[in-house]
Amino acid sequence: MAKKNQHIEKAILMNDTEIEYVLTDNPPRGGMKHTYFTPDRKFAIQFFNKEEDAENPQMHSRLENIVGLYNPTLAEEYGGAMGNTKETAAYFANLFCWPVALIKYPEFGVVCPTYPPNFFFGKHAVKSGVNLDMAGKDKKSRWFTSRAISKCLADDECGNFQTMLRLSISLARAVRRLHTAGLSHSDLSSNNVLIDPKTGTCVVIDIDSLVVPGVFPPEVAGTKGYIAPEVLETMDLPFDDPGRKLPCATTDLFALPVLLYEYLLKRHPLDGPKIYTTTSTEDDEYMQYGPMATFIENPHDTSNRPDDLQVTIHDLGPYLEKMFLQAFVEGMHDPEKRPTAAQWEKALVKTWDLLQPCPNSNCKAKWFVLHDVRNPVCPHCGTRLRADDVIHVRLKKPMRGRKGQWQQTGEINLYDNMPLFKWHFLANVYPDEKMQDRTMQAYISHQGSEWYLVNNALEGMLSPKGNLVPIGQAVWLRNGEMFPTSNQQDALLMEVVKG
Ligand SMILES: [Zn+2]
């Protein structure tokens, strides 16, 4: 509700609709814009700080494209991105705070949805006794990736390894969606990705500096630690110098793994002990994040490696280890070698299937990637699993044109009460934005030293002997058994490997 001495103004959108907003004396001010809110606070009304930005035709053209043609949060039938359905639009509306309309009066401006309430800290955000006021602040990634701040936050605000992996998948998917459309974010950083580790969700904000095809790119300064080395290195060249490297998809592919590394390992991939030059702090930082940037876990050059690395990329399992090496060793100074967002998304999803709950109830991470079943130890706290608690299944799909031959498509670690979904039973089904059916098909039950697969909703489920398993019934998973999981045409084959 509007307080006294605030008054309601009217803005007019490009389509001549009126929208009301509450005019305040000191509106929140960012680098480029200041913000008012609609009386119900569902939308932010943003105007530019500088007249030249508000009147820049490139800015208008960029924003028109962002709100319409390239909008993944709006279905194609309503003027959004090509091929976008209502369902995929709804899915991406949760991952982006995407501008919904442009304002023409009283001046050029943007209407954005406000962030969902779970992206604001509540009253109990910090540990008791800590003198830090976070209540009402938005949950920028940097509060969680900065050691000084994150150690003050209440434990439940910080989530656990599983929720961090979940939001990492969402971020990779969001960037993949931009890149598939030919867009790039250009300023991805810990300031413009909000995360809620409690629920494992994230939202990408500050969309208006997106690089849109055919429109002159925005002059974005970037954020220290997330600017690709080649951009920092050429930043002093004139904007139109052909040698100047501007933000684009391959520079997003530097910032994305920096954020993922920070979420999963709680440290920055370039912040190590190495001193690059003693001439000045500024020069040293320039070398550290620019021409000399050295990954702290570079296996060939250990000059920047901290002494106390307890959990490393190796502990994140084979898929992510390979990706981080490709991004920060081969791709550090060779942008074309960096993994794509789609590759990150795939590797993160495969890693999700290797998750295992830590049996130590005091373990802060609560979950870990069990990548070596012969050495099942939580890297976060050192707790070892009992051999009886380790079981995994290999998923195989029929090879096209080769009857009776199967090809491995995935591997999953099982644990008690683990839910299994359609993509665990059917070939060519992926847990992405197109997959609307998220009904639990079956779950794992661990009793004594035995393991069972319980049918929850899977039509035509088969037992290892080939008998139909009705809903509510279970099959016994014995070591070495290999069987088609259902009588459906695209059914995957499951091979049980114990211990
Ligand atoms: Zn643990």
Side-chain angles (χ1 to χ4, degrees):
M1 206 167 51
K3 289 177 199 158
K4 273 182 199 167
N5 74 18
Q6 287 179 330
H7 64 273
I8 308 278
E9 282 287 332
K10 273 192 182 123
I12 300 174
L13 306 181
M14 292 294 177
N15 66 3
D16 293 322
T17 322
E18 283 187 359
I19 187 166
E20 289 187 332
Y21 63 99
V22 182
L23 193 72
T24 45
D25 288 340
N26 285 306
R29 210 164 267 271
M32 279 192 92
K33 289 177 297 185
H34 50 282
T35 303
Y36 301 102
F37 294 94
T38 52
D40 61 6
R41 288 190 79 87
K42 282 191 176 150
F43 293 96
I45 307 291
Q46 302 182 308
F47 296 114
F48 288 86
N49 295 338
K50 289 189 202 153
E51 206 177 306
E52 69 233 47
D53 284 332
E55 285 170 7
N56 179 349
Q58 297 288 344
M59 180 70 81
H60 287 223
S61 162
R62 175 178 307 114
L63 280 163
E64 278 161 21
N65 278 300
I66 290 173
V67 170
L69 199 57
Y70 291 104
N71 188 344
T73 68
L74 190 65
E76 186 179 3
E77 61 187 278
Y78 300 125
M82 209 163 61
N84 221 28
T85 64
K86 278 187 215 158
E87 289 78 20
T88 53
Y91 186 93
F92 286 112
N94 289 321
L95 296 188
F96 294 106
C97 183
W98 202 277
V100 290
L102 301 180
I103 300 167
K104 62 178 178 187
Y105 175 85
E107 57 185 287
F108 183 72
V110 185
V111 184
C112 274
T114 44
Y115 317 140
N118 66 302
F119 291 107
F120 292 95
F121 285 109
K123 270 189 254 167
H124 306 289
V126 297
K127 289 194 170 90
S128 61
V130 173
N131 187 17
L132 182 70
D133 187 15
M134 297 301 283
K137 284 202 164 73
D138 54 10
K139 295 187 182 179
K140 290 185 172 62
S141 298
R142 70 186 164 103
W143 306 129
F144 302 94
T145 57
S146 134
R147 269 193 195 180
I149 307 274
S150 67
K151 68 181 185 199
C152 300
L153 296 175
D155 284 347
D156 72 327
E157 284 291 350
C158 299
N160 58 49
F161 187 80
Q162 188 204 41
T163 61
M164 286 311 231
L165 186 60
R166 175 180 291 145
L167 65 86
S168 297
I169 294 173
S170 296
L171 179 61
R173 189 164 289 154
V175 177
R176 184 260 291 161
R177 182 65 186 83
L178 293 180
H179 288 184
T180 319
L183 304 167
S184 42
H185 187 282
S186 84
D187 188 20
L188 213 51
S189 82
S190 59
N191 283 325
N192 46 34
V193 182
L194 305 185
I195 61 172
D196 178 24
K198 254 191 209 177
T199 56
T201 50
C202 72
V203 60
V204 179
I205 63 171
D206 288 345
I207 301 290
D208 38 345
S209 58
L210 285 190
V211 180
V212 174
V215 180
F216 205 60
E219 199 163 346
V220 176
T223 308
K224 193 184 104 182
Y226 303 89
I227 307 174
E230 66 276 13
V231 174
L232 186 65
E233 226 176 303
T234 61
M235 209 172 238
D236 288 339
L237 295 173
F239 194 66
D240 53 359
D241 188 302
R244 170 108 183 237
K245 301 282 192 296
L246 297 170
C248 60
T250 53
T251 63
D252 281 352
L253 295 177
F254 176 78
L256 171 66
V258 171
L259 284 166
L260 299 175
Y261 188 88
E262 290 189 295
Y263 296 157
L264 298 173
L265 293 165
K266 315 269 164 158
R267 58 177 183 253
H268 191 283
L270 300 179
D271 289 350
K274 185 167 179 168
I275 293 161
Y276 293 84
T277 172
T278 49
T279 51
S280 73
T281 319
E282 214 178 27
D283 288 352
D284 188 56
E285 269 191 0
Y286 170 73
M287 301 297 247
Q288 183 192 350
Y289 298 115
M292 298 292 286
T294 310
F295 180 33
I296 59 170
E297 294 194 57
N298 186 324
H300 318 297
D301 174 358
T302 54
S303 60
N304 198 23
R305 191 182 176 91
D307 294 330
D308 57 346
L309 291 186
Q310 279 176 358
V311 185
T312 66
I313 49 170
H314 183 68
D315 299 305
L316 300 177
Y319 311 117
L320 291 180
E321 182 179 26
K322 185 170 164 247
M323 297 289 278
F324 279 120
L325 291 174
Q326 204 183 317
F328 295 143
V329 180
E330 290 104 89
M332 181 70 87
H333 300 286
D334 192 347
E336 296 305 320
K337 292 205 170 141
R338 292 172 192 152
T340 63
Q343 288 173 318
W344 277 109
E345 182 186 355
K346 201 169 168 194
L348 289 159
V349 169
K350 277 171 169 273
T351 304
W352 178 270
D353 281 338
L354 299 181
L355 277 179
Q356 193 71 26
C358 178
N360 172 5
S361 57
N362 293 320
C363 178
K364 280 201 169 165
K366 290 194 164 58
W367 295 80
F368 67 101
V369 180
L370 175 54
H371 58 91
D372 182 358
V373 288
R374 283 157 305 175
N375 188 29
V377 177
C378 169
H380 309 284
C381 70
T383 304
R384 180 174 288 274
L385 290 186
R386 295 179 314 146
D388 261 353
D389 292 336
V390 180
I391 182 169
H392 65 281
V393 294
R394 297 188 184 127
L395 299 177
K396 303 182 179 201
K397 71 173 183 185
M399 280 174 84
R400 280 170 72 95
R402 293 196 199 173
K403 208 160 184 274
Q405 290 197 49
W406 300 80
Q407 172 188 11
Q408 185 162 328
T409 60
E411 195 155 14
I412 34 179
N413 285 325
L414 306 184
Y415 52 87
D416 193 28
N417 282 323
M418 177 188 191
L420 295 170
F421 301 94
K422 277 217 161 130
W423 50 92
H424 294 121
F425 294 100
L426 294 173
N428 308 318
V429 176
Y430 306 97
D432 59 12
E433 71 275 11
K434 293 192 198 84
M435 187 65 216
Q436 303 298 328
D437 183 0
R438 293 186 178 244
T439 321
M440 180 172 75
Q441 299 294 307
Y443 63 93
I444 300 299
S445 171
H446 184 23
Q447 292 173 23
S449 59
E450 304 306 341
W451 294 84
Y452 300 91
L453 176 65
V454 188
N455 189 0
N456 188 60
L458 185 62
E459 294 297 334
M461 178 168 155
L462 295 177
S463 74
K465 288 207 172 87
N467 299 323
L468 268 179
V469 182
I471 287 167
Q473 301 275 309
V475 300
W476 186 16
L477 297 176
R478 278 186 294 193
N479 192 24
E481 242 153 12
M482 194 151 77
F483 60 103
T485 46
S486 80
N487 59 12
Q488 297 180 48
Q489 205 188 358
D490 282 339
L492 291 174
L493 193 86
M494 221 176 231
E495 181 187 3
V496 183
V497 187
K498 219 172 153 184

